[in-house]
Short mmCIF file of all heavy atoms in Angstrom, two decimals:
data_model
loop_
_atom_site.label_atom_id
_atom_site.label_comp_id
_atom_site.label_asym_id
_atom_site.label_seq_id
_atom_site.Cartn_x
_atom_site.Cartn_y
_atom_site.Cartn_z
N GLY A 979 -17.72 -23.08 4.27
CA GLY A 979 -18.76 -24.00 3.80
C GLY A 979 -20.04 -23.25 3.50
O GLY A 979 -20.14 -22.04 3.71
N ARG A 980 -21.01 -23.96 3.02
CA ARG A 980 -22.30 -23.31 2.76
C ARG A 980 -23.01 -23.01 4.08
O ARG A 980 -22.82 -23.72 5.07
CB ARG A 980 -23.18 -24.19 1.90
CG ARG A 980 -22.64 -24.35 0.49
CD ARG A 980 -23.60 -25.07 -0.42
NE ARG A 980 -23.05 -25.13 -1.78
CZ ARG A 980 -23.20 -24.17 -2.68
NH1 ARG A 980 -23.90 -23.09 -2.37
NH2 ARG A 980 -22.68 -24.29 -3.88
N ALA A 981 -23.79 -21.96 4.08
CA ALA A 981 -24.47 -21.55 5.31
C ALA A 981 -25.88 -21.09 5.01
O ALA A 981 -26.13 -20.43 4.00
CB ALA A 981 -23.69 -20.43 6.00
N GLN A 982 -26.78 -21.44 5.89
CA GLN A 982 -28.14 -20.93 5.86
C GLN A 982 -28.45 -20.34 7.22
O GLN A 982 -27.99 -20.84 8.25
CB GLN A 982 -29.13 -22.05 5.55
CG GLN A 982 -29.04 -22.58 4.13
CD GLN A 982 -30.09 -23.63 3.85
OE1 GLN A 982 -30.52 -24.34 4.76
NE2 GLN A 982 -30.51 -23.73 2.60
N GLY A 983 -29.19 -19.28 7.22
CA GLY A 983 -29.54 -18.65 8.48
C GLY A 983 -30.66 -17.66 8.30
O GLY A 983 -31.20 -17.48 7.20
N VAL A 984 -31.00 -17.02 9.40
CA VAL A 984 -32.06 -16.01 9.40
C VAL A 984 -31.54 -14.78 10.14
O VAL A 984 -31.01 -14.89 11.25
CB VAL A 984 -33.33 -16.53 10.10
CG1 VAL A 984 -34.37 -15.42 10.21
CG2 VAL A 984 -33.90 -17.72 9.35
N LEU A 985 -31.66 -13.64 9.50
CA LEU A 985 -31.30 -12.38 10.13
C LEU A 985 -32.56 -11.76 10.69
O LEU A 985 -33.57 -11.62 9.98
CB LEU A 985 -30.64 -11.45 9.12
CG LEU A 985 -30.21 -10.07 9.63
CD1 LEU A 985 -28.90 -9.64 9.01
CD2 LEU A 985 -31.27 -9.00 9.34
N ARG A 986 -32.53 -11.41 11.98
CA ARG A 986 -33.66 -10.76 12.66
C ARG A 986 -33.29 -9.32 12.98
O ARG A 986 -32.18 -9.06 13.44
CB ARG A 986 -34.01 -11.51 13.94
CG ARG A 986 -34.64 -12.86 13.70
CD ARG A 986 -35.00 -13.57 15.00
NE ARG A 986 -35.84 -14.74 14.75
CZ ARG A 986 -35.38 -15.90 14.35
NH1 ARG A 986 -34.07 -16.07 14.18
NH2 ARG A 986 -36.20 -16.92 14.11
N THR A 987 -34.22 -8.43 12.77
CA THR A 987 -33.96 -7.02 13.07
C THR A 987 -34.54 -6.65 14.42
O THR A 987 -35.57 -7.21 14.85
CB THR A 987 -34.58 -6.12 11.99
OG1 THR A 987 -36.00 -6.29 11.98
CG2 THR A 987 -34.02 -6.46 10.62
N GLY A 988 -33.89 -5.73 15.09
CA GLY A 988 -34.39 -5.21 16.35
C GLY A 988 -35.26 -3.99 16.15
O GLY A 988 -35.41 -3.16 17.06
N PHE A 989 -35.83 -3.85 14.98
CA PHE A 989 -36.70 -2.73 14.63
C PHE A 989 -37.70 -3.23 13.59
O PHE A 989 -37.47 -4.24 12.92
CB PHE A 989 -35.88 -1.56 14.06
CG PHE A 989 -35.01 -1.95 12.89
CD1 PHE A 989 -35.49 -1.90 11.59
CD2 PHE A 989 -33.71 -2.37 13.10
CE1 PHE A 989 -34.71 -2.27 10.51
CE2 PHE A 989 -32.90 -2.73 12.03
CZ PHE A 989 -33.39 -2.68 10.73
N PRO A 990 -38.84 -2.56 13.44
CA PRO A 990 -39.83 -2.98 12.43
C PRO A 990 -39.24 -2.87 11.03
O PRO A 990 -38.72 -1.83 10.64
CB PRO A 990 -40.98 -2.00 12.63
CG PRO A 990 -40.80 -1.46 14.01
CD PRO A 990 -39.33 -1.43 14.25
N LEU A 991 -39.30 -3.95 10.27
CA LEU A 991 -38.68 -4.02 8.95
C LEU A 991 -39.72 -3.85 7.86
O LEU A 991 -40.73 -4.57 7.83
CB LEU A 991 -37.96 -5.36 8.79
CG LEU A 991 -37.27 -5.63 7.46
CD1 LEU A 991 -36.13 -4.65 7.24
CD2 LEU A 991 -36.75 -7.07 7.41
N ALA A 992 -39.48 -2.92 6.94
CA ALA A 992 -40.41 -2.70 5.84
C ALA A 992 -39.98 -3.46 4.59
O ALA A 992 -40.82 -4.02 3.88
CB ALA A 992 -40.50 -1.21 5.53
N ALA A 993 -38.67 -3.46 4.30
CA ALA A 993 -38.18 -4.13 3.09
C ALA A 993 -36.68 -4.32 3.22
O ALA A 993 -36.01 -3.66 4.02
CB ALA A 993 -38.51 -3.30 1.85
N ALA A 994 -36.15 -5.21 2.39
CA ALA A 994 -34.72 -5.48 2.40
C ALA A 994 -34.23 -5.60 0.97
O ALA A 994 -34.93 -6.14 0.10
CB ALA A 994 -34.39 -6.75 3.18
N GLN A 995 -33.02 -5.09 0.74
CA GLN A 995 -32.40 -5.20 -0.57
C GLN A 995 -30.99 -5.77 -0.42
O GLN A 995 -30.29 -5.48 0.57
CB GLN A 995 -32.29 -3.84 -1.25
CG GLN A 995 -33.58 -3.29 -1.81
CD GLN A 995 -33.35 -1.98 -2.51
OE1 GLN A 995 -32.54 -1.16 -2.09
NE2 GLN A 995 -34.07 -1.76 -3.61
N VAL A 996 -30.57 -6.54 -1.40
CA VAL A 996 -29.16 -6.90 -1.53
C VAL A 996 -28.49 -5.78 -2.31
O VAL A 996 -29.01 -5.31 -3.33
CB VAL A 996 -28.99 -8.24 -2.27
CG1 VAL A 996 -27.52 -8.57 -2.47
CG2 VAL A 996 -29.68 -9.36 -1.51
N THR A 997 -27.33 -5.31 -1.82
CA THR A 997 -26.64 -4.21 -2.49
C THR A 997 -25.19 -4.57 -2.76
O THR A 997 -24.67 -5.57 -2.26
CB THR A 997 -26.67 -2.93 -1.62
OG1 THR A 997 -25.75 -3.06 -0.53
CG2 THR A 997 -28.06 -2.64 -1.09
N ASP A 998 -24.54 -3.73 -3.55
CA ASP A 998 -23.09 -3.83 -3.69
C ASP A 998 -22.43 -3.12 -2.53
O ASP A 998 -23.11 -2.65 -1.59
CB ASP A 998 -22.64 -3.30 -5.05
CG ASP A 998 -22.86 -1.79 -5.21
OD1 ASP A 998 -23.29 -1.12 -4.24
OD2 ASP A 998 -22.60 -1.28 -6.32
N LEU A 999 -21.13 -3.00 -2.54
CA LEU A 999 -20.43 -2.35 -1.42
C LEU A 999 -20.80 -0.88 -1.29
O LEU A 999 -20.75 -0.32 -0.19
CB LEU A 999 -18.92 -2.49 -1.58
CG LEU A 999 -18.33 -3.90 -1.54
CD1 LEU A 999 -16.80 -3.84 -1.62
CD2 LEU A 999 -18.75 -4.64 -0.27
N LEU A 1000 -21.19 -0.26 -2.41
CA LEU A 1000 -21.55 1.15 -2.38
C LEU A 1000 -23.02 1.36 -2.02
O LEU A 1000 -23.55 2.46 -2.16
CB LEU A 1000 -21.24 1.81 -3.72
CG LEU A 1000 -19.79 2.24 -3.95
CD1 LEU A 1000 -18.87 1.03 -4.13
CD2 LEU A 1000 -19.66 3.18 -5.13
N GLU A 1001 -23.66 0.29 -1.54
CA GLU A 1001 -25.05 0.33 -1.05
C GLU A 1001 -26.04 0.63 -2.15
O GLU A 1001 -27.12 1.17 -1.92
CB GLU A 1001 -25.17 1.35 0.11
CG GLU A 1001 -24.24 0.99 1.27
CD GLU A 1001 -24.15 2.07 2.34
OE1 GLU A 1001 -24.94 3.03 2.31
OE2 GLU A 1001 -23.26 1.95 3.20
N ARG A 1002 -25.68 0.21 -3.39
CA ARG A 1002 -26.58 0.34 -4.52
C ARG A 1002 -27.30 -0.98 -4.73
O ARG A 1002 -26.69 -2.05 -4.60
CB ARG A 1002 -25.79 0.73 -5.78
CG ARG A 1002 -25.05 2.05 -5.64
CD ARG A 1002 -24.19 2.36 -6.84
NE ARG A 1002 -23.14 1.37 -7.05
CZ ARG A 1002 -22.10 1.56 -7.88
NH1 ARG A 1002 -22.02 2.69 -8.58
NH2 ARG A 1002 -21.18 0.63 -8.03
N PRO A 1003 -28.59 -0.95 -5.06
CA PRO A 1003 -29.38 -2.20 -5.09
C PRO A 1003 -28.93 -3.15 -6.19
O PRO A 1003 -28.65 -2.75 -7.32
CB PRO A 1003 -30.80 -1.69 -5.35
CG PRO A 1003 -30.65 -0.34 -5.96
CD PRO A 1003 -29.41 0.24 -5.37
N LEU A 1004 -28.86 -4.43 -5.82
CA LEU A 1004 -28.62 -5.51 -6.77
C LEU A 1004 -29.87 -6.36 -6.95
O LEU A 1004 -29.97 -7.13 -7.90
CB LEU A 1004 -27.46 -6.39 -6.31
CG LEU A 1004 -26.09 -5.72 -6.17
CD1 LEU A 1004 -25.09 -6.70 -5.60
CD2 LEU A 1004 -25.62 -5.19 -7.52
N GLY A 1005 -30.79 -6.25 -6.01
CA GLY A 1005 -32.03 -7.03 -6.08
C GLY A 1005 -32.69 -7.03 -4.72
O GLY A 1005 -32.09 -6.72 -3.70
N ASP A 1006 -33.97 -7.38 -4.69
CA ASP A 1006 -34.71 -7.45 -3.44
C ASP A 1006 -34.37 -8.72 -2.69
O ASP A 1006 -34.10 -9.78 -3.28
CB ASP A 1006 -36.21 -7.39 -3.70
CG ASP A 1006 -36.65 -6.04 -4.23
OD1 ASP A 1006 -35.97 -5.04 -3.95
OD2 ASP A 1006 -37.67 -6.00 -4.96
N ALA A 1007 -34.37 -8.62 -1.37
CA ALA A 1007 -34.20 -9.79 -0.50
C ALA A 1007 -35.55 -10.16 0.08
O ALA A 1007 -36.34 -9.29 0.47
CB ALA A 1007 -33.19 -9.49 0.61
#
Side-chain angles (χ1 to χ4, degrees):
R980 293 188 177 274
Q982 291 183 331
V984 174
L985 180 143
R986 289 181 169 80
T987 62
F989 55 88
L991 179 64
Q995 285 183 323
V996 177
T997 74
D998 66 5
L999 295 184
L1000 278 70
E1001 301 171 10
R1002 300 175 298 193
L1004 298 176
D1006 292 334

